[in-house]
């Protein structure tokens, strides 16, 4: 804090020292503040450029084959991930329905990235559990950078004899919510056609992180459902 008192008298009651120049004090201070602002802005821009460069370098690197052609299924024009989980159980379908409904409550409530979960089309009669979910997918997080998107999707678990079919569909994204928000559907962003180059060997710039994180999300959901069922 600047000391505006001198010898017990108020600063404003004393003339500026001509040798030092009162006006020059404030001019120097203003220049210093302006310089600091420019330095901070330069640092922020440098970090943004470094982040963008790192992303470009990453997208030029070889892509894990699990994320390449065929990794994002399109059914009837819609991105739809699906996996059959086969297991042995003596429990009737009604009991499995209630178990899976309980799993959705526990799994999503315990996940700090989940913003909302809502029962949208569950049916005990049809032995189907379906929930709508809004959650964050985080691409990068550090002290100075937080790159993430909201992903909105429907998760369906259809119970049949000896198996449960897990599906993730109706996927969309809400990106850059704190800056210039963008909304787009999975069909516009993560399909083979939209996210991969013509040779299907590299990502198109900006698409890869969405594709990978979405695939990983479904894999984790299906794996957790499988583990839950096999433990019963």
């Amino acid at each position: 804090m600047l000391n505006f008192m001198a010898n017990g008298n108020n600063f404003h009651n004393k003339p500026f020292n001509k040798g030092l120049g009162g006006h020059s004090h404030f001019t120097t201070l203003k220049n210093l503040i302006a310089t600091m602002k420019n330095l901070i802005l330069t640092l922020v821009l440098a970090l943004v450029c470094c982040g963008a460069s790192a992303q470009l370098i990453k997208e030029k690197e070889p892509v894990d084959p699990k994320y390449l052609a065929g990794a994002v299924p399109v059914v009837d024009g819609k991105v739809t991930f699906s996996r059959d989980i086969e297991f042995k159980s003596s429990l009737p379908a009604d009991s499995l329905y209630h178990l899976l409904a309980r799993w959705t409550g526990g799994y999503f409530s315990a996940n700090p990235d989940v913003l909302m979960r809502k029962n949208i089309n569950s049916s005990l009669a049809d032995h189907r559990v379906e929930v709508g979910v809004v959650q964050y997918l985080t691409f990068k997080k550090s002290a100075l950078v937080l790159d993430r998107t909201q992903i909105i999707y429907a998760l369906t678990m259809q119970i049949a004899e000896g198996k449960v079919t897990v599906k993730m569909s109706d996927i969309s994204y809400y990106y850059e919510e704190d800056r210039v928000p963008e909304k787009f559907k999975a069909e516009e962003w993560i399909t083979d056609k939209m996210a991969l180059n013509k040779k299907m060997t590299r990502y198109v710039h900006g698409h890869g992180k969405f594709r990978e994180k979405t695939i990983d999300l479904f894999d984790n959901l299906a794996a957790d459902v499988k583990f839950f069922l096999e433990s019963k």
Side-chain angles (χ1 to χ4, degrees):
M1 179 180 295
L2 292 173
N3 185 2
F4 286 171
M5 300 294 291
N7 298 325
N9 296 317
N10 190 287
F11 177 85
H12 293 288
N13 292 332
K14 284 184 173 285
F16 293 132
N17 186 302
K18 293 183 180 180
L20 296 175
H23 178 72
S24 65
H25 274 311
F26 284 101
T27 301
T28 302
L29 180 60
K30 287 170 66 177
N31 290 339
L32 179 60
I33 291 172
T35 301
M36 291 177 67
K37 286 182 177 179
N38 287 334
L39 286 172
I40 292 171
L41 179 60
T42 301
L43 178 60
V44 170
L45 289 174
L47 288 170
V48 170
C49 290
C50 286
S53 298
Q55 181 64 31
L56 283 170
I57 292 171
K58 182 179 179 181
E59 289 175 349
K60 290 180 180 179
E61 294 175 351
V63 179
D64 187 327
K66 71 173 282 188
Y67 300 115
L68 290 176
V72 177
V74 178
V75 180
D76 297 328
K78 295 285 187 179
V79 171
T80 305
F81 294 91
S82 181
R83 187 165 303 166
D84 288 336
I85 299 173
E86 298 181 356
F87 63 100
K88 295 179 180 180
S89 176
S90 59
L91 294 173
D94 284 6
S95 297
L96 287 172
Y97 170 89
H98 291 298
L99 281 173
L100 287 171
R102 191 177 73 190
W103 173 85
T104 61
Y107 181 87
F108 292 112
S109 297
N111 188 337
D113 288 329
V114 172
L115 303 174
M116 186 175 71
R117 169 187 59 86
K118 185 178 181 181
N119 182 1
I120 55 174
N121 199 23
S122 296
S123 170
L124 176 59
D126 295 331
H127 301 133
R128 181 184 63 251
V129 177
E130 186 170 355
V131 293
V133 183
V134 181
Q135 73 174 82
Y136 283 122
L137 292 180
T138 301
F139 306 125
K140 183 176 182 180
K141 184 176 182 180
S142 68
L144 297 173
V145 177
L146 177 58
D147 184 17
R148 66 183 181 181
T149 185
Q150 288 184 26
I151 180 172
I152 303 95
Y153 61 93
L155 180 69
T156 306
M157 290 166 284
Q158 182 66 56
I159 301 164
E161 178 117 15
K163 72 175 182 179
V164 170
T165 301
V166 181
K167 289 185 179 181
M168 187 169 77
S169 59
D170 298 322
I171 304 166
S172 59
Y173 306 93
Y174 183 57
Y175 186 50
E176 299 278 27
E177 59 181 305
D178 298 324
R179 291 183 281 273
V180 182
E182 296 180 72
K183 296 180 180 179
F184 41 88
K185 296 180 179 180
E187 292 76 24
E188 302 171 303
W189 209 253
I190 68 168
T191 61
D192 290 357
K193 180 180 179 180
M194 302 303 295
L196 300 177
N197 62 7
K198 291 182 179 180
K199 293 183 179 180
M200 300 290 174
T201 57
R202 294 284 190 275
Y203 293 129
V204 173
H205 176 57
H207 294 244
K209 60 185 181 182
F210 288 87
R211 182 177 171 99
E212 287 192 10
K213 286 292 184 178
T214 305
I215 293 169
D216 290 345
L217 172 62
F218 177 70
D219 284 347
N220 291 336
L221 287 167
D224 208 89
V225 172
K226 185 175 187 294
F227 177 80
F228 178 79
L229 290 171
E230 290 177 346
S231 66
K232 299 304 172 186

